[in-house]
Amino acid sequence: MIPPWFALAKEAFERSRAAWEAEGLAARDGIAAPPLTGEVQMALVESVKQLADRVPAVSLFAVRSSAVGEDGASASFAGQLSSVLNVAARDVPEAVRAVWASAARENVTIYRKETGGADAALSPAVLVQVMVPAESAGVGFSVDPVSGDPGRMVISACRGLGEKLVSGEVNGDTYYCTARGEPLEQRCEDEPILGRDE
């Protein structure tokens, strides 16, 4: 199940950057991300409020990147751009700026050059989701990303939150299933993280 969420479109970044550059503030003091314009800030605050109203028990958010061109047939930016987890509502605007700033990091620039995407500007969109206090987390592919087999799903999972898995800090477990979710095989270092029903 996907936690409730909303997206801050890449145009929010582009408008904020344009306003910042128009004031001659770009790259001042080495700051990599523009401040949100008043319009973007108001829309973001209202969207966070609406999300919190939809899920009354929510108190923390996950703020994640979703850049256009981030993933494709020859490259995947998984773990390259920042995710900020366990963010209080009042801190979401600064977390958005942290995600924006991560698009200008050296590792992202190098990766984009190596994968042939450095010519296009990277304008990150941002997803804001309700934070889930997970016992385990992971990534699921409805089509095997290595073989391209549409009848074989692949699930990678780790204990706790999934950021260590996505960043490559841990390998986690790998599970292979049919397109209907019937288990085929699993590769686990210790006790399996996911049971058959999960």
Side-chain angles (χ1 to χ4, degrees), residues 140-181:
F141 300 92
S142 59
V143 172
D144 187 326
V146 176
S147 69
D149 183 349
R152 183 175 164 102
M153 295 193 298
V154 180
I155 300 165
S156 296
C158 68
R159 299 204 187 282
L161 303 177
E163 83 277 7
K164 289 183 179 181
L165 179 72
V166 174
S167 69
E169 191 176 327
V170 299
N171 289 327
D173 289 356
T174 303
Y175 304 87
Y176 299 90
C177 305
T178 67
R180 294 182 179 173

Side-chain angles (χ1 to χ4, degrees), residues 101-118:
S102 71
R105 286 194 312 227
E106 184 179 8
N107 64 303
V108 175
T109 303
I110 291 169
Y111 186 78
R112 294 182 74 222
K113 284 181 181 174
E114 289 175 352
T115 57

Side-chain angles (χ1 to χ4, degrees), residues 7-93:
L8 187 64
K10 70 182 183 72
E11 286 79 11
F13 171 77
E14 292 166 351
R15 287 180 193 149
S16 295
R17 183 179 57 195
W20 194 40
E21 290 172 349
E23 293 179 28
L25 301 176
R28 184 188 69 171
D29 301 327
I31 298 169
L36 285 68
T37 64
E39 175 189 16
V40 171
Q41 173 93 14
M42 286 181 4
L44 180 60
V45 168
E46 179 58 29
S47 295
V48 169
K49 182 183 178 312
Q50 288 176 9
L51 188 55
D53 288 346
R54 280 179 50 204
V55 188
V58 68
S59 60
L60 296 173
F61 299 90
V63 181
R64 306 177 181 281
S65 71
S66 182
V68 173
E70 190 172 351
D71 296 312
S74 63
S76 172
F77 274 60
Q80 297 287 327
L81 301 177
S82 290
S83 288
V84 187
L85 305 179
N86 295 310
V87 180
R90 68 180 177 280
D91 297 327
V92 169

